[in-house]
C-alpha cells in the first residue's frame, strides 16, 4: 500500500494509481451488471443512443464517484502514515474513513444528478427531480438493483487491500492499542488472527453498506409529504 499510495508520491502518480485501481474494480462489475440484466446487453449492442447514454453515465457518474471515494480513503491512509511515522493508530483511520466515505458517495451522486439535469437534460431537465431520485436510487443500490450498486461495490472492492492492511496493522502492529488487542487475542494463534483480519474487513464493508442504505432510506422518508 505504501508504495502506491504515499504523500511522498507526486499528485499525478497518486491520482493515476487511484484511477487504475478504481477502473480495475469497476469494469468487471459493470460487465457483470450488464450480463445480469435481461436484454440489457443486446439493447446496448443494437441501440447506439442507448450505448452512448450508458457510457456517458459511467464516465460522468461512475468513474468520478468511485475515484473520489477511493482517493479520499487512500489520502487519509497516506496522511496518517506520514503523520505517525508508523501506522500506530489504524483505528483512527477506520473511524474517520467510514463517515467520510458515505458522505462523499451520497454528495457526489446528488451533485452529478443535479448537474446532469442541466447539461444532458436527464430527469426531464428538472434539477429538483434529479435530487429527489438520489435517495430511492441509493436505497436500492445495496441490492445491486441499479447501476449505482455497481459503483457502491466497486468502491468496496477497491478498498479491500487498504482495509486488510489497516486491520493487519491493528492486529499485529507496535502501537499501544495494537499491543492491547494482541494480548486479548493471543489465544487465537496466528491462523485465527489471520481469519479475524479478513472477517473484520467484511464486517466493516457490511457496516458501510448498511449505513449508506439507512441514510438513503432516511432521505426518502424526509422527502415523503
Amino acid at each position: 500500500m505504501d508504495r502506491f499510495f504515499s504523500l511522498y508520491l507526486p499528485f499525478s502518480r497518486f491520482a493515476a494509481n487511484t484511477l487504475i485501481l478504481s477502473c480495475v474494480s469497476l469494469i468487471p462489475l459493470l460487465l457483470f451488471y450488464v450480463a445480469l440484466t435481461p436484454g440489457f446487453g443486446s439493447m446496448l449492442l443494437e441501440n447506439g443512443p442507448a450505448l452512448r447514454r450508458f457510457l456517458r453515465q459511467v464516465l460522468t457518474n461512475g468513474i468520478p464517484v468511485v475515484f473520489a471515494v477511493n482517493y479520499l480513503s487512500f489520502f487519509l491512509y497516506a496522511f496518517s502514515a506520514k503523520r505517525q511515522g508508523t501506522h500506530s493508530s489504524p483505528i483512527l483511520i477506520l473511524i474517520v474513513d467510514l463517515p467520510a466515505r458515505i458522505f462523499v458517495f451520497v454528495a457526489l451522486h446528488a451533485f452529478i444528478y443535479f448537474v446532469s439535469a442541466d447539461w444532458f437534460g436527464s430527469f426531464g431537465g428538472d434539477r429538483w427531480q434529479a435530487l429527489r431520485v438520489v435517495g430511492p436510487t441509493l436505497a436500492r443500490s445495496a441490492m445491486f438493483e441499479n447501476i449505482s450498486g455497481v459503483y457502491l461495490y466497486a468502491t468496496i472492492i477497491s478498498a479491500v487491500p487498504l482495509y486488510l492492511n489497516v486491520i493487519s496493522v491493528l492486529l499485529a502492529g507496535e502501537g499501544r492499542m495494537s499491543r492491547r488487542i494482541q494480548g486479548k487475542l493471543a489465544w487465537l494463534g496466528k491462523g485465527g488472527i489471520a481469519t479475524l483480519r479478513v472477517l473484520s474487513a467484511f464486517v466493516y464493508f457490511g457496516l458501510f453498506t448498511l449505513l449508506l442504505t439507512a441514510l438513503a432510506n432516511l432521505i426518502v422518508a424526509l422527502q415523503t409529504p
Side-chain angles (χ1 to χ4, degrees), residues 52-64:
R52 286 193 293 272
R53 286 194 297 270
F54 175 75
L55 293 176
R56 185 186 70 197
Q57 218 282 340
V58 172
L59 291 173
T60 62
N61 188 6
I63 292 178

Side-chain angles (χ1 to χ4, degrees), residues 87-106:
H87 305 295
S88 57
S89 57
I91 192 70
L92 210 57
I93 302 174
L94 298 178
I95 292 172
V96 173
D97 181 82
L98 184 60
R101 178 178 285 266
I102 292 172
F103 174 79
V104 170
F105 193 85
V106 175

Side-chain angles (χ1 to χ4, degrees), residues 125-191:
D126 187 337
R127 292 174 292 181
W128 304 112
Q129 175 61 25
L131 292 179
R132 282 192 290 271
V133 304
V134 171
T137 299
L138 297 185
R140 297 193 302 270
S141 63
M143 301 304 295
F144 213 67
E145 294 180 4
N146 52 47
I147 199 168
S148 289
V150 174
Y151 309 151
L152 170 63
Y153 288 105
T155 63
I156 291 176
I157 291 174
S158 301
V160 168
L162 186 152
Y163 288 119
L164 286 179
N165 189 297
V166 170
I167 293 171
S168 294
V169 171
L170 183 63
L171 297 179
E174 298 295 330
R176 183 184 303 174
M177 177 69 74
S178 295
R179 289 197 298 268
R180 192 174 298 172
I181 293 175
Q182 291 164 27
K184 294 183 180 298
L185 298 179
W187 59 275
L188 286 175
K190 291 184 178 181

Side-chain angles (χ1 to χ4, degrees), residues 188-200:
L188 286 175
K190 291 184 178 181
I193 290 178
T195 302
L196 181 62
R197 178 186 65 177
V198 176
L199 290 176
S200 298

